Amino acid sequence: MSEDHTHVQEFFGARAEGWDRKFPEDGPAFATAVAEFGLRPGDRVLDAGCGTGRALASLRAAVGPAGTVLGVDLTPQMLAAAQRAGRAAEGALLLADVARLPLRDEALDAVFAAGLIAHLPDPAANLRELARVVRPGGRLALFHPIGRAALAARHGRELTPRDLRAEHNLGPLLSASGWDMTSYADEDHRFLVLAARRP
């Protein structure tokens, strides 16, 4: 993607209306990823780059009525699609840039980010911003409902050693941004990396 937010908004804005219909089989993968994330009742969790809000129901179920669920996205059309799908009932939706979150330091227990990392203009700085809003020991999940190889094939490209999501690249990137990687899974049916906020 581009460092130009307008490009990101145009790309996703044009696709928002049909996004859920294009990927109807992704629901169970989101639910499984959230279950593996290890959220607890009462946790405060951010869905960073929430899109149409496909993770919000699972996040709400995990943190329960005493928890806080916040969905943030840069694209108004994606948030509008989440509203139309009734997902605002599961958490508050906010139009904001994950590079400059309108949240206080250590406000959250966890951040769930589906499909986000490939679209970050400055991954190191943006991951540091996510670390800023999470308490020490809090958690981060970087998720995609299909693995790197399957995603590359979908887009007609080949994986290279420079791929940001490759374990040998992502681990050091997370570490330099205030996170310690705790697990890495890159399989045909999902990509899921979990990390803990360094004290």
Side-chain angles (χ1 to χ4, degrees), residues 120-150:
L120 295 176
D122 184 346
N126 303 151
L127 288 168
R128 280 194 300 273
E129 173 66 357
L130 295 180
R132 179 188 69 78
V133 300
V134 173
R135 64 168 175 78
R139 296 172 307 286
L140 170 70
L142 301 176
F143 169 70
H144 199 283
I146 60 175
R148 291 188 310 123

PDB file of all heavy atoms in Angstrom, residues 120-150:
ATOM      1  N   LEU A 120       0.265  -0.718   6.747  1.00  0.00           N
ATOM      2  CA  LEU A 120       0.825   0.327   7.603  1.00  0.00           C
ATOM      3  C   LEU A 120       1.898   1.098   6.848  1.00  0.00           C
ATOM      4  O   LEU A 120       2.816   0.500   6.286  1.00  0.00           O
ATOM      5  CB  LEU A 120       1.433  -0.291   8.869  1.00  0.00           C
ATOM      6  CG  LEU A 120       0.449  -0.982   9.810  1.00  0.00           C
ATOM      7  CD1 LEU A 120       1.200  -1.637  10.964  1.00  0.00           C
ATOM      8  CD2 LEU A 120      -0.604  -0.013  10.327  1.00  0.00           C
ATOM      9  N   PRO A 121       1.819   2.426   6.838  1.00  0.00           N
ATOM     10  CA  PRO A 121       2.814   3.209   6.100  1.00  0.00           C
ATOM     11  C   PRO A 121       4.197   3.165   6.730  1.00  0.00           C
ATOM     12  O   PRO A 121       5.199   3.212   6.036  1.00  0.00           O
ATOM     13  CB  PRO A 121       2.239   4.628   6.122  1.00  0.00           C
ATOM     14  CG  PRO A 121       1.292   4.656   7.267  1.00  0.00           C
ATOM     15  CD  PRO A 121       0.742   3.270   7.386  1.00  0.00           C
ATOM     16  N   ASP A 122       4.260   3.054   8.049  1.00  0.00           N
ATOM     17  CA  ASP A 122       5.536   2.997   8.763  1.00  0.00           C
ATOM     18  C   ASP A 122       5.392   1.924   9.842  1.00  0.00           C
ATOM     19  O   ASP A 122       5.082   2.238  10.999  1.00  0.00           O
ATOM     20  CB  ASP A 122       5.852   4.364   9.374  1.00  0.00           C
ATOM     21  CG  ASP A 122       7.215   4.416  10.053  1.00  0.00           C
ATOM     22  OD1 ASP A 122       7.810   3.342  10.294  1.00  0.00           O
ATOM     23  OD2 ASP A 122       7.680   5.524  10.346  1.00  0.00           O
ATOM     24  N   PRO A 123       5.584   0.640   9.485  1.00  0.00           N
ATOM     25  CA  PRO A 123       5.279  -0.445  10.419  1.00  0.00           C
ATOM     26  C   PRO A 123       5.921  -0.300  11.797  1.00  0.00           C
ATOM     27  O   PRO A 123       5.267  -0.529  12.811  1.00  0.00           O
ATOM     28  CB  PRO A 123       5.775  -1.690   9.691  1.00  0.00           C
ATOM     29  CG  PRO A 123       5.662  -1.335   8.246  1.00  0.00           C
ATOM     30  CD  PRO A 123       6.012   0.122   8.176  1.00  0.00           C
ATOM     31  N   ALA A 124       7.200   0.089  11.850  1.00  0.00           N
ATOM     32  CA  ALA A 124       7.855   0.200  13.157  1.00  0.00           C
ATOM     33  C   ALA A 124       7.191   1.272  14.021  1.00  0.00           C
ATOM     34  O   ALA A 124       6.842   1.032  15.182  1.00  0.00           O
ATOM     35  CB  ALA A 124       9.346   0.507  12.975  1.00  0.00           C
ATOM     36  N   ALA A 125       6.989   2.447  13.450  1.00  0.00           N
ATOM     37  CA  ALA A 125       6.352   3.531  14.207  1.00  0.00           C
ATOM     38  C   ALA A 125       4.910   3.186  14.557  1.00  0.00           C
ATOM     39  O   ALA A 125       4.442   3.477  15.662  1.00  0.00           O
ATOM     40  CB  ALA A 125       6.403   4.831  13.414  1.00  0.00           C
ATOM     41  N   ASN A 126       4.202   2.554  13.627  1.00  0.00           N
ATOM     42  CA  ASN A 126       2.796   2.237  13.861  1.00  0.00           C
ATOM     43  C   ASN A 126       2.633   1.153  14.923  1.00  0.00           C
ATOM     44  O   ASN A 126       1.715   1.211  15.747  1.00  0.00           O
ATOM     45  CB  ASN A 126       2.126   1.826  12.560  1.00  0.00           C
ATOM     46  CG  ASN A 126       2.230   2.887  11.477  1.00  0.00           C
ATOM     47  OD1 ASN A 126       2.243   2.582  10.301  1.00  0.00           O
ATOM     48  ND2 ASN A 126       2.342   4.167  11.859  1.00  0.00           N
ATOM     49  N   LEU A 127       3.533   0.165  14.940  1.00  0.00           N
ATOM     50  CA  LEU A 127       3.496  -0.850  15.992  1.00  0.00           C
ATOM     51  C   LEU A 127       3.873  -0.246  17.345  1.00  0.00           C
ATOM     52  O   LEU A 127       3.355  -0.661  18.377  1.00  0.00           O
ATOM     53  CB  LEU A 127       4.418  -2.018  15.641  1.00  0.00           C
ATOM     54  CG  LEU A 127       3.913  -2.919  14.515  1.00  0.00           C
ATOM     55  CD1 LEU A 127       5.017  -3.857  14.032  1.00  0.00           C
ATOM     56  CD2 LEU A 127       2.685  -3.718  14.954  1.00  0.00           C
ATOM     57  N   ARG A 128       4.764   0.754  17.335  1.00  0.00           N
ATOM     58  CA  ARG A 128       5.072   1.466  18.584  1.00  0.00           C
ATOM     59  C   ARG A 128       3.848   2.213  19.098  1.00  0.00           C
ATOM     60  O   ARG A 128       3.613   2.293  20.303  1.00  0.00           O
ATOM     61  CB  ARG A 128       6.236   2.441  18.385  1.00  0.00           C
ATOM     62  CG  ARG A 128       7.601   1.791  18.405  1.00  0.00           C
ATOM     63  CD  ARG A 128       8.734   2.805  18.551  1.00  0.00           C
ATOM     64  NE  ARG A 128       8.772   3.777  17.471  1.00  0.00           N
ATOM     65  CZ  ARG A 128       9.406   3.591  16.314  1.00  0.00           C
ATOM     66  NH1 ARG A 128      10.042   2.457  16.073  1.00  0.00           N
ATOM     67  NH2 ARG A 128       9.404   4.531  15.382  1.00  0.00           N
ATOM     68  N   GLU A 129       3.055   2.760  18.181  1.00  0.00           N
ATOM     69  CA  GLU A 129       1.836   3.455  18.597  1.00  0.00           C
ATOM     70  C   GLU A 129       0.841   2.467  19.218  1.00  0.00           C
ATOM     71  O   GLU A 129       0.200   2.779  20.228  1.00  0.00           O
ATOM     72  CB  GLU A 129       1.209   4.173  17.403  1.00  0.00           C
ATOM     73  CG  GLU A 129      -0.155   4.791  17.662  1.00  0.00           C
ATOM     74  CD  GLU A 129      -0.168   5.939  18.659  1.00  0.00           C
ATOM     75  OE1 GLU A 129       0.895   6.269  19.245  1.00  0.00           O
ATOM     76  OE2 GLU A 129      -1.243   6.518  18.883  1.00  0.00           O
ATOM     77  N   LEU A 130       0.742   1.286  18.643  1.00  0.00           N
ATOM     78  CA  LEU A 130      -0.124   0.271  19.253  1.00  0.00           C
ATOM     79  C   LEU A 130       0.403  -0.115  20.629  1.00  0.00           C
ATOM     80  O   LEU A 130      -0.378  -0.308  21.569  1.00  0.00           O
ATOM     81  CB  LEU A 130      -0.230  -0.954  18.348  1.00  0.00           C
ATOM     82  CG  LEU A 130      -0.920  -0.740  17.002  1.00  0.00           C
ATOM     83  CD1 LEU A 130      -0.960  -2.040  16.207  1.00  0.00           C
ATOM     84  CD2 LEU A 130      -2.327  -0.180  17.168  1.00  0.00           C
ATOM     85  N   ALA A 131       1.726  -0.224  20.765  1.00  0.00           N
ATOM     86  CA  ALA A 131       2.307  -0.536  22.076  1.00  0.00           C
ATOM     87  C   ALA A 131       2.026   0.567  23.087  1.00  0.00           C
ATOM     88  O   ALA A 131       1.808   0.298  24.274  1.00  0.00           O
ATOM     89  CB  ALA A 131       3.815  -0.762  21.935  1.00  0.00           C
ATOM     90  N   ARG A 132       2.013   1.788  22.631  1.00  0.00           N
ATOM     91  CA  ARG A 132       1.776   2.932  23.535  1.00  0.00           C
ATOM     92  C   ARG A 132       0.449   2.822  24.251  1.00  0.00           C
ATOM     93  O   ARG A 132       0.339   3.150  25.440  1.00  0.00           O
ATOM     94  CB  ARG A 132       1.829   4.250  22.743  1.00  0.00           C
ATOM     95  CG  ARG A 132       1.567   5.494  23.603  1.00  0.00           C
ATOM     96  CD  ARG A 132       1.438   6.749  22.771  1.00  0.00           C
ATOM     97  NE  ARG A 132       0.237   6.796  21.960  1.00  0.00           N
ATOM     98  CZ  ARG A 132      -0.984   7.098  22.417  1.00  0.00           C
ATOM     99  NH1 ARG A 132      -1.192   7.351  23.712  1.00  0.00           N
ATOM    100  NH2 ARG A 132      -2.037   7.126  21.594  1.00  0.00           N
ATOM    101  N   VAL A 133      -0.573   2.351  23.537  1.00  0.00           N
ATOM    102  CA  VAL A 133      -1.918   2.353  24.112  1.00  0.00           C
ATOM    103  C   VAL A 133      -2.253   1.068  24.862  1.00  0.00           C
ATOM    104  O   VAL A 133      -3.357   0.929  25.389  1.00  0.00           O
ATOM    105  CB  VAL A 133      -2.989   2.635  23.032  1.00  0.00           C
ATOM    106  CG1 VAL A 133      -2.750   4.001  22.394  1.00  0.00           C
ATOM    107  CG2 VAL A 133      -3.046   1.544  21.974  1.00  0.00           C
ATOM    108  N   VAL A 134      -1.300   0.132  24.926  1.00  0.00           N
ATOM    109  CA  VAL A 134      -1.513  -1.143  25.621  1.00  0.00           C
ATOM    110  C   VAL A 134      -0.674  -1.177  26.891  1.00  0.00           C
ATOM    111  O   VAL A 134       0.485  -0.766  26.889  1.00  0.00           O
ATOM    112  CB  VAL A 134      -1.151  -2.332  24.700  1.00  0.00           C
ATOM    113  CG1 VAL A 134      -1.208  -3.654  25.458  1.00  0.00           C
ATOM    114  CG2 VAL A 134      -2.098  -2.372  23.505  1.00  0.00           C
ATOM    115  N   ARG A 135      -1.257  -1.669  27.947  1.00  0.00           N
ATOM    116  CA  ARG A 135      -0.529  -1.770  29.221  1.00  0.00           C
ATOM    117  C   ARG A 135       0.626  -2.766  29.102  1.00  0.00           C
ATOM    118  O   ARG A 135       0.580  -3.693  28.289  1.00  0.00           O
ATOM    119  CB  ARG A 135      -1.481  -2.209  30.337  1.00  0.00           C
ATOM    120  CG  ARG A 135      -2.043  -3.600  30.115  1.00  0.00           C
ATOM    121  CD  ARG A 135      -2.751  -4.141  31.330  1.00  0.00           C
ATOM    122  NE  ARG A 135      -3.386  -5.421  31.046  1.00  0.00           N
ATOM    123  CZ  ARG A 135      -2.751  -6.583  30.988  1.00  0.00           C
ATOM    124  NH1 ARG A 135      -1.444  -6.663  31.183  1.00  0.00           N
ATOM    125  NH2 ARG A 135      -3.418  -7.702  30.739  1.00  0.00           N
ATOM    126  N   PRO A 136       1.673  -2.603  29.910  1.00  0.00           N
ATOM    127  CA  PRO A 136       2.744  -3.604  29.929  1.00  0.00           C
ATOM    128  C   PRO A 136       2.176  -4.996  30.219  1.00  0.00           C
ATOM    129  O   PRO A 136       1.332  -5.161  31.095  1.00  0.00           O
ATOM    130  CB  PRO A 136       3.648  -3.126  31.064  1.00  0.00           C
ATOM    131  CG  PRO A 136       3.429  -1.646  31.105  1.00  0.00           C
ATOM    132  CD  PRO A 136       1.969  -1.458  30.789  1.00  0.00           C
ATOM    133  N   GLY A 137       2.621  -5.965  29.452  1.00  0.00           N
ATOM    134  CA  GLY A 137       2.089  -7.316  29.580  1.00  0.00           C
ATOM    135  C   GLY A 137       0.848  -7.557  28.750  1.00  0.00           C
ATOM    136  O   GLY A 137       0.384  -8.696  28.627  1.00  0.00           O
ATOM    137  N   GLY A 138       0.277  -6.481  28.177  1.00  0.00           N
ATOM    138  CA  GLY A 138      -0.889  -6.627  27.312  1.00  0.00           C
ATOM    139  C   GLY A 138      -0.519  -7.325  26.008  1.00  0.00           C
ATOM    140  O   GLY A 138       0.659  -7.580  25.721  1.00  0.00           O
ATOM    141  N   ARG A 139      -1.531  -7.636  25.190  1.00  0.00           N
ATOM    142  CA  ARG A 139      -1.317  -8.528  24.059  1.00  0.00           C
ATOM    143  C   ARG A 139      -1.666  -7.887  22.720  1.00  0.00           C
ATOM    144  O   ARG A 139      -2.491  -6.982  22.631  1.00  0.00           O
ATOM    145  CB  ARG A 139      -2.140  -9.799  24.270  1.00  0.00           C
ATOM    146  CG  ARG A 139      -1.676 -10.581  25.485  1.00  0.00           C
ATOM    147  CD  ARG A 139      -2.570 -11.734  25.853  1.00  0.00           C
ATOM    148  NE  ARG A 139      -3.980 -11.396  26.022  1.00  0.00           N
ATOM    149  CZ  ARG A 139      -4.487 -10.735  27.051  1.00  0.00           C
ATOM    150  NH1 ARG A 139      -3.702 -10.282  28.012  1.00  0.00           N
ATOM    151  NH2 ARG A 139      -5.774 -10.490  27.136  1.00  0.00           N
ATOM    152  N   LEU A 140      -1.013  -8.430  21.685  1.00  0.00           N
ATOM    153  CA  LEU A 140      -1.250  -8.040  20.300  1.00  0.00           C
ATOM    154  C   LEU A 140      -1.450  -9.295  19.477  1.00  0.00           C
ATOM    155  O   LEU A 140      -0.705 -10.262  19.624  1.00  0.00           O
ATOM    156  CB  LEU A 140      -0.042  -7.266  19.762  1.00  0.00           C
ATOM    157  CG  LEU A 140      -0.019  -6.972  18.249  1.00  0.00           C
ATOM    158  CD1 LEU A 140      -1.089  -5.952  17.880  1.00  0.00           C
ATOM    159  CD2 LEU A 140       1.366  -6.471  17.828  1.00  0.00           C
ATOM    160  N   ALA A 141      -2.455  -9.275  18.598  1.00  0.00           N
ATOM    161  CA  ALA A 141      -2.662 -10.351  17.632  1.00  0.00           C
ATOM    162  C   ALA A 141      -2.631  -9.752  16.232  1.00  0.00           C
ATOM    163  O   ALA A 141      -3.383  -8.819  15.937  1.00  0.00           O
ATOM    164  CB  ALA A 141      -3.996 -11.052  17.867  1.00  0.00           C
ATOM    165  N   LEU A 142      -1.745 -10.265  15.392  1.00  0.00           N
ATOM    166  CA  LEU A 142      -1.706  -9.913  13.971  1.00  0.00           C
ATOM    167  C   LEU A 142      -2.264 -11.111  13.216  1.00  0.00           C
ATOM    168  O   LEU A 142      -1.685 -12.194  13.246  1.00  0.00           O
ATOM    169  CB  LEU A 142      -0.271  -9.615  13.530  1.00  0.00           C
ATOM    170  CG  LEU A 142       0.441  -8.481  14.268  1.00  0.00           C
ATOM    171  CD1 LEU A 142       1.877  -8.365  13.802  1.00  0.00           C
ATOM    172  CD2 LEU A 142      -0.298  -7.160  14.082  1.00  0.00           C
ATOM    173  N   PHE A 143      -3.379 -10.896  12.532  1.00  0.00           N
ATOM    174  CA  PHE A 143      -4.143 -12.018  11.982  1.00  0.00           C
ATOM    175  C   PHE A 143      -4.483 -11.780  10.523  1.00  0.00           C
ATOM    176  O   PHE A 143      -4.645 -10.646  10.076  1.00  0.00           O
ATOM    177  CB  PHE A 143      -5.438 -12.171  12.803  1.00  0.00           C
ATOM    178  CG  PHE A 143      -6.447 -13.104  12.199  1.00  0.00           C
ATOM    179  CD1 PHE A 143      -6.217 -14.470  12.166  1.00  0.00           C
ATOM    180  CD2 PHE A 143      -7.627 -12.614  11.657  1.00  0.00           C
ATOM    181  CE1 PHE A 143      -7.147 -15.330  11.595  1.00  0.00           C
ATOM    182  CE2 PHE A 143      -8.559 -13.464  11.085  1.00  0.00           C
ATOM    183  CZ  PHE A 143      -8.318 -14.828  11.058  1.00  0.00           C
ATOM    184  N   HIS A 144      -4.562 -12.864   9.790  1.00  0.00           N
ATOM    185  CA  HIS A 144      -5.170 -12.869   8.462  1.00  0.00           C
ATOM    186  C   HIS A 144      -5.827 -14.226   8.288  1.00  0.00           C
ATOM    187  O   HIS A 144      -5.273 -15.241   8.709  1.00  0.00           O
ATOM    188  CB  HIS A 144      -4.133 -12.621   7.365  1.00  0.00           C
ATOM    189  CG  HIS A 144      -4.765 -12.167   6.080  1.00  0.00           C
ATOM    190  ND1 HIS A 144      -5.398 -13.033   5.221  1.00  0.00           N
ATOM    191  CD2 HIS A 144      -4.895 -10.940   5.537  1.00  0.00           C
ATOM    192  CE1 HIS A 144      -5.884 -12.358   4.194  1.00  0.00           C
ATOM    193  NE2 HIS A 144      -5.599 -11.073   4.364  1.00  0.00           N
ATOM    194  N   PRO A 145      -7.033 -14.281   7.684  1.00  0.00           N
ATOM    195  CA  PRO A 145      -7.750 -15.553   7.591  1.00  0.00           C
ATOM    196  C   PRO A 145      -7.148 -16.563   6.616  1.00  0.00           C
ATOM    197  O   PRO A 145      -7.610 -17.708   6.578  1.00  0.00           O
ATOM    198  CB  PRO A 145      -9.163 -15.152   7.168  1.00  0.00           C
ATOM    199  CG  PRO A 145      -9.025 -13.782   6.604  1.00  0.00           C
ATOM    200  CD  PRO A 145      -7.857 -13.144   7.285  1.00  0.00           C
ATOM    201  N   ILE A 146      -6.131 -16.188   5.861  1.00  0.00           N
ATOM    202  CA  ILE A 146      -5.353 -17.162   5.094  1.00  0.00           C
ATOM    203  C   ILE A 146      -3.875 -16.842   5.285  1.00  0.00           C
ATOM    204  O   ILE A 146      -3.515 -15.727   5.655  1.00  0.00           O
ATOM    205  CB  ILE A 146      -5.718 -17.188   3.589  1.00  0.00           C
ATOM    206  CG1 ILE A 146      -5.468 -15.824   2.931  1.00  0.00           C
ATOM    207  CG2 ILE A 146      -7.144 -17.647   3.379  1.00  0.00           C
ATOM    208  CD1 ILE A 146      -5.702 -15.827   1.429  1.00  0.00           C
ATOM    209  N   GLY A 147      -3.026 -17.850   5.039  1.00  0.00           N
ATOM    210  CA  GLY A 147      -1.597 -17.682   5.254  1.00  0.00           C
ATOM    211  C   GLY A 147      -0.925 -16.863   4.173  1.00  0.00           C
ATOM    212  O   GLY A 147      -1.528 -16.484   3.162  1.00  0.00           O
ATOM    213  N   ARG A 148       0.361 -16.625   4.369  1.00  0.00           N
ATOM    214  CA  ARG A 148       1.115 -15.759   3.461  1.00  0.00           C
ATOM    215  C   ARG A 148       1.159 -16.323   2.040  1.00  0.00           C
ATOM    216  O   ARG A 148       0.997 -15.580   1.076  1.00  0.00           O
ATOM    217  CB  ARG A 148       2.543 -15.564   3.985  1.00  0.00           C
ATOM    218  CG  ARG A 148       2.632 -14.753   5.240  1.00  0.00           C
ATOM    219  CD  ARG A 148       4.062 -14.420   5.630  1.00  0.00           C
ATOM    220  NE  ARG A 148       4.923 -15.598   5.625  1.00  0.00           N
ATOM    221  CZ  ARG A 148       6.041 -15.727   4.903  1.00  0.00           C
ATOM    222  NH1 ARG A 148       6.456 -14.728   4.138  1.00  0.00           N
ATOM    223  NH2 ARG A 148       6.772 -16.817   4.977  1.00  0.00           N
ATOM    224  N   ALA A 149       1.416 -17.613   1.902  1.00  0.00           N
ATOM    225  CA  ALA A 149       1.522 -18.205   0.561  1.00  0.00           C
ATOM    226  C   ALA A 149       0.185 -18.138  -0.174  1.00  0.00           C
ATOM    227  O   ALA A 149       0.128 -17.801  -1.360  1.00  0.00           O
ATOM    228  CB  ALA A 149       2.017 -19.638   0.650  1.00  0.00           C
ATOM    229  N   ALA A 150      -0.895 -18.459   0.532  1.00  0.00           N
ATOM    230  CA  ALA A 150      -2.218 -18.418  -0.091  1.00  0.00           C
ATOM    231  C   ALA A 150      -2.596 -16.993  -0.468  1.00  0.00           C
ATOM    232  O   ALA A 150      -3.186 -16.755  -1.528  1.00  0.00           O
ATOM    233  CB  ALA A 150      -3.264 -19.025   0.850  1.00  0.00           C
TER     234      ALA A 150
END
